[in-house]
Each structure stands twice: as C-alpha cells, then as structure tokens.
Amino acid sequence: MLDGMTDLTEGVRPGQSAVGRTTRPGGPARVTSPAVALSIVLAGQLMAVLDTNIVNVAVPAMHATLGASGAALQLIVAGYTIAYAVLLVTGARLGDILGHRRVYLAGVALFTLASLGCGLAPSTGALVALRFIQGAGAATMIPQVLSLIQRSYTAPGPRARAMSLYATVISGGSVLGQVVGGLLVSANLFGSSWRPVFLVNVPVGLAVLACGRLLPAGRFEGVRLLDLPGLALLTPAVLALVLPLVLGQPLGWPAWGWALLAGSVVLFALLGLVESRVAARGGQPILPRSLLGLPGMTAGLGGLFVAMAIFGGWLFSLALQLQDGQGDSPLRAGLTFVPAGAAFALVSLNWRRLPARLHGGLVIAGFLVTGVGMLWSGLVFRGGGDGGVWLYLALAVAGGGMAAAFGSLMGRVVSGVPVALAADASGVMVTVNQLGIVTGIAVFGALFLNRAGQLPAGAHEAGAFALSAGHAYLLVAAALAVLSLAGAALAARHGRAAARVTAGPRA
C-alpha cells in the first residue's frame, strides 16, 4: 500500500538516478547513498511518531509536577496533533514550492527548538503553547519524507524495501513511544521527571540537521499554489470543534462551548463554499471536490477517521487508567502497551500477503476484532482488578484488529485515487487521520475524566479513584466498541462502492 502511494505521490525528474544528488556551486554533483538519505528522513519520521505517543505515559507526572487540570492535560496531548492536522496539507505544498530538502530541514529545526522549549517549560500554559509549535514543525517536516524517499529510490524493488522500513517506523513508533516514555519518566534523571520525553528529541534533531546536506535536492515539477482562504477557514473550524470537547467537561459545559460547536458547523459549511470558488478560479483547494466525489471516498475517509478516533481515545484513557487508576509506574504502564504494539506491527507488515479479494472483508473483520479487544480490555478492570495476563491478551487482540482495519482500508482508499489527485489525497488522508486522533482524545478523554472524577492528588485518594476509574474505562471501552461497529459499516459501504467501480457499467 505504502509503496503504491509513493508511486503516485510525485514524479521523478527525468534522468534522475536511484541515488540522491546534491549540487555544490561551481563543483560536481555529490552522490549520496540512498540508505543514508533514508536513515536521515526516517529519523525525523520517528521523532514525530514518538512525540504523538510518548506524552501519554508522562501525563500523570505532568499532573503531579505542574498541577495541570484534566483539560490542560488533554491540550498538552492534543495541541501537537491539532497543529499537525491543520497545517499538514500546507506543509506538503510548501515542499513542492520551496524544495523538499529545504522545507524538511526547516521543519526539523522548528520541531527541535520547540522540543527544547517543551522540556524546559516553566508552566502548563507555556507547555501547551510549545506543543502547538511542535505540531507545526512536524507538519512542515513529515510531508517531505515520502517525496525524499521517492527521489532516493527510483527502482521498484529497493523502493518497496525502503517503504517497508517506513511502515515499520510508523507502526512500531506508537508502542516505542509508550515504552521510551515510561523509561524516561521512571528514570527521573536528575529529578527531571517528565522533561526528558521532550529533551530526547534535541540530540536527534541536531544530528538530522548536521546530515541534512546529504539529502537529495529537488521540488515538484508542476505548479503548486497555497490555498490561503481554505487554510484561514480550516484553522478556526478545527479549533472551534476541538476546544469545547477538551474544555467543556471540566468547565461544566458553558454556553460559549456550545456556541463554538455550532460555529464549527457553520465554518465547515463555509469552507465548502470557499473551496468551490477557489477551484472555480483555477486554484488548488485543500479539500478538492474532485477527490471527495470519488466513489466510496467519503465512506473510506470516514472509516479512517473512526479508526484513528478509536486509537487516540484508547491510548489516552488507558494511560490514565493504568497510572492513576491502577497506580502503575510510568515504565510498567509503557510496557503494558507492548503486546498491542507488537500485534499492530505484525499485522500491519503482513496483511498484504493475503489475496487481494480478501482485503475488503479484512477491513470489516478488523473493526469487529478491534471492538472485541476494546470491550475485553474494559471488562478486565471491572471491580478494581488489574486484569493480569488477560489484559495483555485483550490489548493484543485490539492492536491486531486495528492494524487490519486501518492498514487495509488505507490501501483500498489509495488504490481508488487517480494519479492526478494522488498528492492531494495523501495530504487529506493524513489530515483526516490526525483530526480523528484529536477528536478521540477530546471525546473519550472527557468521557473518562467525567466518569472517573477528579484525578487523585495523593495516595489517600488513590483507592477510591481506582474503583471509579475502572468503571469509567469500562464505559470508554464499550463506547469504543460501538464506534468500531460504525467503522465496520463505513468500511462495508466503501467496499460496495469500490466493487461497483470494478464491475463497471452493465451492458
């Protein structure tokens, strides 16, 4: 699936070889090993993936040291993803306009500086603001990765192997973030508590910047335009949707929150009108109607959104349940995610071995298995128990099901996109995925915190919170299982549309 995406994403300049080339003024081109270029871009990719998940394990430590409220904790986790989601498509187009290597390195520099700021943040407000800046850096950096891999690997075989490593970084980064976060917080280096989960990015970012000149240069050969009117509307529309979901519960669902939710509906509707006018003037809208009008595309995007909403809500609520409800250390909580991450990686890297005719059913089965795993993981905590080995089995089932649902659905959605729309499709799909994570964190995080009550301030409150947290996580798990059924329905709808296109018009 991923190597298919690269085939569609960007044309390679005629005559370009299968290795990266950088040009020195007045001198010959310097040849860079494709493996070196791949290592550089995947290091940046891994930083961004880790940062999406590493913070989950550090949330209770932030609550203890900063006195952050539940809403602030959600903003610390979701702020990164909000900025990432909103600016991703723009980041991709900036790479086409200004050059992929240049924009990639600019994103790495911004991400690294923001990581340093996060690690030194003196207050909750400063940390939330810097997380938004981190997300902007990731949105500038990550869209360039596929383009730079494309320029380094032009032969199908080597490119497929490179994309397998790319897939491994994405699938393994989620669980690695939980484990690394647990290790760093538990180590409490020099009394720094949660701060190393951000500071660890600094040496990696500096190393990537030092090696940046080894990356191949180049930019998109066609014409690319920024959609400033679309961006100006998309940003407040997303914020108006997410902020009430994050802040509503702790503030008692004030009137301004409902007003913002209503306003987000208006802004999204207005965005559709503005995007139509941008397209009519010959511009390049963020959400092109020609893409959204493809058979089954809206159902496919809906299914991807649901899968990521489940993923985001599950990781956030389970991290709180393990550390605040069960009293697990950050390290133990991080290691608890290993079975889920291993199952996710195993399935995501091998589902393509199945015959293509089974892929449609695999999506539906994956959502159903995910729902079973989610509900199972909730039931093991009822009555205040810790679940034991049954928890690990439940999480492995959920992780494997999620990989089957998300990976195969992404592949089917990509396969229905014409070459001319591939770049826009890539940006839209990743944006939908990130918005799904944000919504999942906001909705299911609020549900958990609302049912569990105030996070415990000390050991004397931990016992009562453990019981209420177990019930809250069971409710969240049940809701996630129901959402999995909705994902299966959307996947079935997308499959029927794809089947009609394959069959063609009847004679």
Side-chain angles (χ1 to χ4, degrees):
M1 176 268 292
L2 288 170
D3 43 316
M5 172 66 84
T6 11
D7 290 338
L8 295 176
T9 300
E10 177 190 25
V12 179
R13 188 173 298 177
Q16 184 180 0
S17 69
V19 294
R21 293 181 181 271
T22 57
T23 303
R24 292 174 293 182
R30 180 175 62 235
V31 178
T32 299
S33 165
V36 171
L38 181 65
S39 300
I40 296 170
V41 296
L42 289 187
Q45 178 76 52
L46 182 60
M47 279 199 306
V49 173
L50 284 177
D51 233 72
T52 305
N53 300 280
I54 197 171
V55 181
N56 286 310
V57 177
V59 161
M62 293 175 184
H63 169 65
T65 59
L66 294 176
S69 65
L73 293 175
Q74 288 176 302
L75 279 176
I76 290 171
V77 175
Y80 172 84
T81 315
I82 292 171
Y84 185 21
V86 170
L87 299 175
L88 193 65
V89 174
T90 300
R93 296 202 180 172
L94 285 175
D96 288 341
I97 295 169
L98 301 176
H100 301 112
R101 180 179 66 183
R102 179 184 302 171
V103 175
Y104 174 77
L105 294 177
V108 172
L110 181 60
F111 185 90
T112 303
L113 285 172
S115 296
L116 177 61
C118 287
L120 301 176
S123 65
T124 302
L127 182 56
V128 170
L130 286 162
R131 283 287 283 170
F132 276 88
I133 297 174
Q134 245 193 336
T140 307
M141 168 178 58
I142 294 308
Q144 320 313 323
V145 172
L146 285 177
S147 296
L148 289 167
I149 292 176
Q150 173 90 6
R151 290 189 176 277
S152 298
Y153 291 88
T154 57
R159 182 188 298 160
R161 290 190 290 272
M163 294 309 300
S164 293
L165 290 174
Y166 174 81
T168 301
V169 166
I170 292 177
S171 58
S174 298
V175 65
L176 187 61
Q178 306 290 338
V179 175
V180 171
L183 286 170
L184 292 174
V185 175
S186 296
N188 193 24
L189 299 171
F190 307 107
S192 56
S193 184
W194 51 269
R195 297 182 184 277
V197 303
F198 298 111
L199 296 176
V200 71
N201 293 325
V202 176
V204 179
L206 291 176
V208 171
L209 291 171
C211 299
R213 295 186 65 182
L214 299 177
L215 292 173
R219 66 184 69 187
F220 186 78
E221 296 299 324
V223 176
R224 278 295 190 196
L225 302 172
L226 287 178
D227 178 15
L228 295 179
L231 180 62
L233 278 172
L234 180 62
T235 302
V238 172
L239 291 176
L241 172 65
V242 174
L243 286 180
L245 295 177
V246 172
L247 299 175
Q249 184 271 333
L251 296 180
W253 299 104
W256 63 260
W258 295 108
L260 280 179
L261 287 173
S264 72
V265 175
V266 175
L267 287 172
F268 276 116
L270 185 59
L271 176 63
L273 295 175
V274 169
E275 294 292 79
S276 297
R277 292 186 178 182
V278 169
R281 294 198 304 265
Q284 297 176 350
I286 292 176
L287 302 174
R289 180 169 295 181
S290 54
L291 172 65
L292 299 180
L294 292 173
M297 179 57 68
T298 54
L301 291 175
L304 294 175
F305 179 89
V306 166
M308 289 296 97
I310 294 171
F311 184 71
W314 173 53
L315 287 183
F316 184 79
S317 58
L318 183 57
L320 289 176
Q321 164 63 20
L322 291 173
Q323 293 190 67
D324 288 306
Q326 298 297 123
D328 289 351
S329 68
L331 177 58
R332 180 173 178 178
L335 293 175
T336 301
F337 288 94
V338 169
F344 189 97
L346 182 65
V347 174
S348 66
L349 294 176
N350 290 282
W351 67 265
R352 287 179 292 275
R353 298 177 184 271
L354 294 174
R357 67 179 184 277
L358 300 179
H359 290 175
L362 181 64
V363 181
I364 299 172
F367 273 113
L368 296 178
V369 171
T370 297
V372 170
M374 292 293 169
L375 188 57
W376 188 3
S377 73
L379 290 171
V380 300
F381 287 120
R382 72 183 187 279
D386 63 3
V389 68
W390 296 111
L391 174 62
Y392 299 117
L393 292 175
L395 297 183
V397 169
M402 193 172 298
F406 178 74
S408 49
L409 179 59
M410 177 72 86
R412 289 175 66 82
V413 171
V414 168
S415 66
V417 177
V419 175
L421 295 175
D424 285 328
S426 176
V428 168
M429 280 187 284
V430 179
T431 301
V432 165
N433 293 341
Q434 296 305 314
L435 287 176
I437 292 175
V438 170
T439 304
I441 291 172
V443 172
F444 296 104
L447 178 61
F448 179 89
L449 292 168
N450 185 60
R451 298 296 298 176
Q454 187 72 26
L455 294 176
H460 63 285
E461 298 180 4
F465 185 80
L467 187 60
S468 63
H471 291 309
Y473 182 74
L474 175 57
L475 180 61
V476 169
L480 292 172
V482 172
L483 189 57
S484 297
L485 295 177
L490 288 167
R493 181 179 174 186
H494 176 268
R496 288 193 296 270
R500 286 194 297 268
V501 172
T502 302
R506 295 183 178 180

